[in-house]
Amino acid sequence: MVESISGMDHGSSKSVPSSNALTDGKDKLFQHAFDYAAIGMALIALDGTWLKVNPALSNISGYSSAELMKTDIAAIIHADDLKSLQRLHSRLLSSRKDTYNKEIRCYHKQGHIIWGLLYVSLVRDEAGAPLYTIAQIQDISARKQLEQKFSSLIEYNPAGIISLDMHGRMNGLNEAMEQIIGYKSYELMDKPLKTIIAGEREHLHIFQHAVEDKEQYNHDITVTHKDGSLIHLGAKDVPIIVDGTIVGFYIIARDITEHRMTQEKLGAIQQELIDVVSKQHGMTYKFKKIGDRFIHTLCDGELVYRLGYRPEFVVGKELSDFPVESGSIAQIEECYNRAWSGEETVTYEGQKNNLTYLIHMKPVKRSGKVVEVIASCIDISERKRAEEDLRATKEMLESFINNTPDAIDVVDLNGNVVQVNRAFEKIYGYTEEEALGKQLLIIPEDKTEEKDMLYSKLTSGTDIENYETTRLRKDGSLLYINLTLSTIKDANGKTIAYAAITRDITERKKTEELLRKSDRLSVVGQLAAGLAHEIRNPLTSLKGFLQLMQAGVPSQEKYYEIMISELDRINFIVSEFLIIAKPQVTQYDNKSLNRILDTVIQLIEPEANMKNVEMQVDMGLKPVLVRCSEIQLKQVFINLMKNAIEAMPQGGQLKIDVDNGEQDVLVRIADTGSGIPKERLSHLGEPFYTTKEKGTGLGLMMCFKIIESHQGSIDFRSQLHEGTTVEVVLPVVQPYLK
């Protein structure tokens, strides 16, 4: 057979080993099949050189038979396939297998790549030794191009694609799917799809649907990302059909996680909106005008039920279907027409079932045309009742303000009068018309600094209560007043005005002044007896010395110093007496408290001696400096010491102690008199309240006022039949005089 093949004229050939296995007829048949085969065929020596090629191989490669015969098979095989082909050839020669096949790439004469399906059979001699190989090459370039097109369609598809076999095992993922689920294709190869499916379902329904109707099946699936997060996919299942038989499936999917989350959020928002509308205390509804009728398209809210309706009863009904209070149907229909005509805000107030409600209507426009009207309705029954209560309260307050005996005025931040009551007109003499919008000249010139001080306190947030001062009436006369000032603020806490309440205390002040003078004269009268005795003693001495001098007693010079000293004492006593008796202008200066007390003690001491009262004084060695009105403090201590002496009609002890502190000084005046009942202690200092049989209580009242004006305090402690202790505390200028 080999010899006959080599002797053929068609096609080029090299010598072929002889064989007696074929008859001449069979040789011709083989040669005919070889030459006219539709696929490329060749006889190849064991070293890879061509022994014989047919025309079909020349057509596939583009080389003529003669050109091929000058080369070996390696000349047209792609380098990447040549090595694997050589391994297969070596394995063929060394094993009992006589065939192998492989898809290879070949070079066309023009330079492009040709894909071929290569089948190789080994021919052996009668002893089994290899002689040569027979190669069949089928051009599959068109099929490979189609496969590459489909592969490119899958590989570069922006949608994720998973390839499954009929058992649901994954045998391929494109790059888009790898990015979606985080796994590489090799990590999931041959694993069941349920490996990455989230939830408890083991299989999808894709197989039964695809097998039954061979149609695409759309569905949503949730898979678990490699990092553990859940990915929602919108999937389409496409059967893979070969020769009319389903051999697998493609799952083509897109990541809809964000879309799903957006839908869920939108659904939650929509549900929340529905809940808000349905659970609101008021009512929301919409209507459209169809023809000449207003039809309600939405209605919900708690107020719907309180008005006696239900949402399903309202929707689809027109305005005339609802019973409303008599005479109001025309009014509300007019409001509907106004809103439908485009008026931006239409309001209507009505009543039903003892409820007062307020409706706000607003048109909804598209392209400038009203397409519907949305309305909100709220229950204003409480507000109406509150307004009525407020009106009644306002009337009551106005009645109170206008009928109170105290003057009330309100001024703005610029000092212009905003409101006054009738008492203001009566006390200050200005009518309401004269006062409104003006800054009244009611503050005396000497109170300018006081005005600034009061204004400063008000602006800093401090209200002024029961402040005693003076003001001017319209006719210029002076008023003594008790003043209370406060700020008026808006809802945001911002000061918008000031209010003043004025109480006329002019008559009270005159009475107090008369009582003060009366009390002072009373004190002066009571001191007179003791002072007369105190003055009489030095006068007696002076008279005796003058008589001695008149008699011509020698060495009269030694009496001059004594006489001058006695005259100084008389002058001091008279001066202090006049200070107590004569009204003085109040003036505060830094004074020695010890000297003030020493002076008072000298004035009181004669009376104490007359009443058999022993005085014990302990003022320390270092006098204390206080800022005070000297005459007022003397008046206080004279009153307190006189009271102590009068509490001991049978005699006793009067102790006066001074305790120095860092910030203040304590003057303690204690007697051993009859004491004061506990229930009366709290009333001490009140006018006309006294424990004396013929007293007025005004002296002690003045003591409290004077010490209070000096920023100090007075405290009484007493036990019946044991005595009374008065403690006066005053602030010091400095702890000790140096």
Side-chain angles (χ1 to χ4, degrees):
M1 181 190 74
V2 175
E3 291 175 352
S4 62
I5 290 175
S6 61
M8 288 182 180
D9 295 330
H10 340 11
S12 300
S13 65
K14 294 182 181 179
S15 60
V16 179
S18 62
S19 174
N20 296 321
L22 299 175
T23 62
D24 292 340
K26 289 180 178 179
D27 289 342
K28 291 181 180 179
L29 181 61
F30 175 80
Q31 183 172 342
H32 188 272
F34 184 88
D35 289 340
Y36 294 100
I39 62 174
M41 296 185 65
L43 301 180
I44 304 172
L46 297 179
D47 62 359
T49 57
W50 304 99
L51 298 177
K52 186 174 181 62
V53 296
N54 71 345
L57 183 59
S58 296
N59 291 334
I60 291 172
S61 65
Y63 292 97
S64 66
S65 298
E67 290 173 327
L68 288 173
M69 294 300 292
K70 294 178 181 179
T71 64
D72 56 18
I73 190 170
I76 65 169
I77 302 299
H78 193 283
D80 293 342
D81 296 335
L82 184 59
K83 291 182 180 180
S84 60
L85 197 60
Q86 288 172 344
R87 286 195 297 270
L88 290 172
H89 186 69
S90 298
R91 197 175 300 154
L92 181 68
L93 296 177
S94 62
S95 67
R96 293 183 178 180
K97 288 186 65 174
D98 292 337
T99 64
Y100 68 84
N101 63 77
K102 178 177 174 57
E103 290 184 357
I104 61 172
R105 287 166 290 179
C106 301
Y107 293 110
H108 192 274
K109 182 179 180 179
Q110 294 180 356
H112 59 270
I113 298 295
I114 303 168
W115 278 91
L117 181 58
L118 174 65
Y119 294 89
V120 177
S121 300
L122 179 63
V123 179
R124 300 176 184 272
D125 61 14
E126 294 178 353
L131 293 176
Y132 56 89
T133 59
I134 300 175
Q136 297 178 351
I137 301 177
Q138 182 181 356
D139 187 356
I140 60 171
S141 298
R143 192 195 79 191
K144 287 301 268 186
Q145 289 177 358
L146 185 60
E147 287 179 358
Q148 289 176 353
K149 288 180 181 179
F150 279 106
S151 176
S152 176
L153 176 64
I154 294 173
E155 187 65 27
Y156 299 105
N157 198 311
I161 300 176
I162 301 176
S163 176
L164 306 175
D165 63 18
M166 287 301 295
H167 300 289
R169 290 189 296 265
M170 294 175 283
N171 51 30
L173 281 73
N174 70 347
E175 184 177 352
M177 183 58 75
E178 289 179 340
Q179 292 179 354
I180 291 173
I181 65 176
Y183 290 97
K184 293 295 183 182
S185 181
Y186 66 84
E187 294 179 286
L188 299 177
M189 193 62 64
D190 294 327
K191 291 184 179 180
L193 179 62
K194 66 180 182 180
T195 303
I196 61 172
I197 296 294
E200 297 181 356
R201 292 184 301 167
E202 293 187 356
H203 298 281
L204 302 175
H205 300 297
I206 56 175
F207 304 115
Q208 67 182 52
H209 280 275
V211 170
E212 289 172 0
D213 51 26
K214 296 184 181 181
E215 292 182 358
Q216 297 178 355
Y217 175 58
N218 298 326
H219 58 96
D220 291 350
I221 60 175
T222 303
V223 300
T224 304
H225 192 275
K226 187 176 181 179
D227 63 10
S229 60
L230 297 181
I231 306 296
H232 300 287
L233 301 177
K236 179 180 291 185
D237 303 326
V238 180
I240 302 173
I241 302 175
V242 177
D243 296 331
T245 302
I246 297 176
V247 297
F249 303 91
Y250 287 124
I251 296 180
I252 304 173
R254 290 187 180 274
D255 185 354
I256 60 170
T257 304
E258 186 174 348
H259 175 68
R260 174 75 65 84
M261 292 175 64
T262 301
Q263 283 185 322
E264 290 176 354
K265 290 180 180 178
L266 182 60
I269 292 172
Q270 289 175 337
Q271 185 59 48
E272 185 177 354
L273 180 60
I274 292 172
D275 292 342
V276 168
V277 173
S278 63
K279 295 178 181 179
Q280 64 172 312
H281 291 298
M283 176 177 70
T284 298
Y285 68 92
K286 296 193 296 184
F287 63 83
K288 292 183 177 181
K289 190 172 186 179
I290 301 175
D292 59 351
R293 302 182 306 156
F294 289 109
I295 306 298
H296 296 89
T297 58
L298 171 72
C299 182
D300 213 338
E302 293 184 3
L303 187 57
V304 180
Y305 300 93
R306 287 191 284 146
L307 289 172
Y309 305 119
R310 295 190 308 276
E312 58 271 19
F313 175 76
V314 177
V315 175
K317 300 295 192 302
E318 59 181 300
L319 183 60
S320 60
D321 292 331
F322 301 100
V324 293
E325 61 272 23
S326 176
S328 65
I329 185 67
Q331 296 175 4
I332 194 169
E333 187 172 8
E334 179 190 356
C335 293
Y336 273 46
N337 276 309
R338 286 165 53 197
W340 188 257
S341 65
E343 189 173 332
E344 281 301 319
T345 303
V346 180
T347 60
Y348 172 78
E349 186 177 307
Q351 289 184 330
K352 190 176 188 302
N353 294 345
N354 295 322
L355 292 176
T356 303
Y357 58 86
L358 180 65
I359 300 175
H360 291 269
M361 304 177 194
K362 189 174 183 64
V364 178
K365 299 178 181 179
R366 293 190 181 94
S367 302
K369 183 180 179 181
V370 177
V371 295
E372 63 181 350
V373 174
I374 185 168
S376 62
C377 181
I378 57 174
D379 180 3
I380 60 170
S381 304
E382 288 297 326
R383 193 185 80 184
K384 279 292 184 181
R385 283 191 285 271
E387 287 176 354
E388 183 62 27
D389 292 343
L390 182 62
R391 184 189 62 78
T393 302
K394 182 181 178 183
E395 291 178 355
M396 181 178 67
L397 287 175
E398 287 179 349
S399 175
F400 170 77
I401 290 172
N402 284 323
N403 292 289
T404 183
D406 294 334
I408 298 176
D409 66 290
V410 178
V411 299
D412 61 22
L413 300 182
N414 296 319
N416 297 315
V417 176
V418 176
Q419 183 179 4
V420 297
N421 67 345
R422 294 170 187 164
F424 183 92
E425 296 177 325
K426 182 178 179 181
I427 291 174
Y428 285 98
Y430 291 94
T431 64
E432 184 177 11
E433 291 75 14
E434 292 173 326
L436 292 182
K438 299 182 179 66
Q439 295 185 13
L440 300 181
L441 301 176
I442 61 175
I443 300 177
E445 292 183 3
D446 61 339
K447 298 294 183 181
T448 303
E449 293 184 1
E450 177 191 83
K451 172 188 173 184
D452 296 338
M453 179 272 292
L454 294 176
Y455 178 76
S456 176
K457 283 189 175 182
L458 278 178
T459 54
S460 66
T462 303
D463 290 344
I464 291 93
E465 296 182 358
N466 299 321
Y467 183 82
E468 293 188 2
T469 184
T470 57
R471 289 293 182 264
L472 295 175
R473 287 174 52 84
K474 179 182 177 182
D475 60 10
S477 59
L478 193 66
L479 285 170
Y480 288 93
I481 64 169
N482 182 292
L483 183 64
T484 296
L485 298 174
S486 60
T487 56
I488 299 176
K489 299 181 179 181
D490 61 14
N492 298 319
K494 182 181 179 182
T495 299
I496 57 174
Y498 303 108
I501 301 175
T502 302
R503 177 168 294 175
D504 185 359
I505 60 171
T506 304
E507 293 302 320
R508 194 194 81 187
K509 278 292 185 181
K510 290 179 179 178
T511 302
E512 283 183 2
E513 185 60 28
L514 289 173
L515 291 172
R516 191 194 302 268
K517 291 178 180 179
S518 174
D519 183 66
R520 186 181 293 113
L521 291 173
S522 175
V523 170
V524 170
Q526 294 175 34
L527 288 175
L531 291 175
H533 176 74
E534 190 70 14
I535 293 173
R536 187 179 293 116
N537 288 336
L539 286 176
T540 301
S541 299
L542 288 172
K543 183 178 180 181
F545 287 131
L546 287 173
Q547 288 173 345
L548 289 174
M549 293 173 66
Q550 187 177 19
V553 176
S555 303
Q556 297 178 5
E557 291 81 2
K558 63 180 180 182
Y559 299 123
Y560 294 156
E561 185 176 349
I562 297 174
M563 293 174 67
I564 291 173
S565 175
E566 292 297 326
L567 288 171
D568 288 340
R569 176 167 175 74
I570 293 172
N571 184 58
F572 169 78
I573 292 172
V574 173
S575 298
E576 290 300 322
F577 186 76
L578 290 174
I579 289 174
I580 297 298
K582 182 180 178 181
Q584 302 286 328
V585 176
T586 302
Q587 185 172 350
Y588 289 82
D589 296 302
N590 294 339
K591 297 290 183 179
S592 169
L593 180 63
N594 300 64
R595 292 174 184 169
I596 292 174
L597 288 171
D598 188 58
T599 300
V600 172
I601 290 169
Q602 291 187 51
L603 291 172
I604 290 295
E605 195 170 21
E607 184 175 354
N609 293 333
M610 291 174 63
K611 297 290 182 66
N612 198 26
V613 173
E614 178 187 355
M615 299 185 70
Q616 297 179 2
V617 181
D618 182 8
M619 290 190 290
L621 300 176
K622 297 181 179 178
V624 180
L625 192 67
V626 295
R627 185 166 183 79
C628 65
S629 167
E630 182 176 358
I631 180 61
Q632 288 187 350
L633 283 191
K634 286 179 179 178
Q635 183 178 348
V636 169
F637 291 125
I638 287 173
N639 267 296
L640 295 178
M641 292 181 192
K642 274 180 76 317
N643 288 343
I645 292 171
E646 291 172 358
M648 300 179 286
Q650 305 303 322
Q653 289 184 343
L654 177 60
K655 294 183 179 180
I656 302 167
D657 299 321
V658 178
D659 290 339
N660 300 324
E662 291 293 328
Q663 303 295 329
D664 49 43
V665 59
L666 170 65
V667 180
R668 186 181 296 107
I669 301 172
D671 63 62
T672 58
S674 57
I676 304 172
K678 186 176 295 185
E679 63 272 11
R680 294 190 176 186
L681 283 174
S682 60
H683 296 286
L684 295 179
E686 295 179 5
F688 306 108
Y689 186 85
T690 179
T691 60
K692 301 176 185 178
E693 183 178 348
K694 296 182 179 180
T696 64
L698 297 175
L700 202 53
M701 180 192 76
M702 298 310 303
C703 291
F704 273 92
K705 284 187 170 293
I706 290 170
I707 296 301
E708 183 181 350
S709 67
H710 283 72
Q711 310 301 316
S713 64
I714 299 180
D715 182 52
F716 282 81
R717 291 184 289 107
S718 184
Q719 290 289 334
L720 281 176
H721 312 301
E722 293 183 10
T724 302
T725 300
V726 185
E727 292 183 345
V728 179
V729 178
L730 292 168
V732 298
V733 175
Q734 58 189 38
Y736 302 106
L737 288 173
K738 304 298 183 183

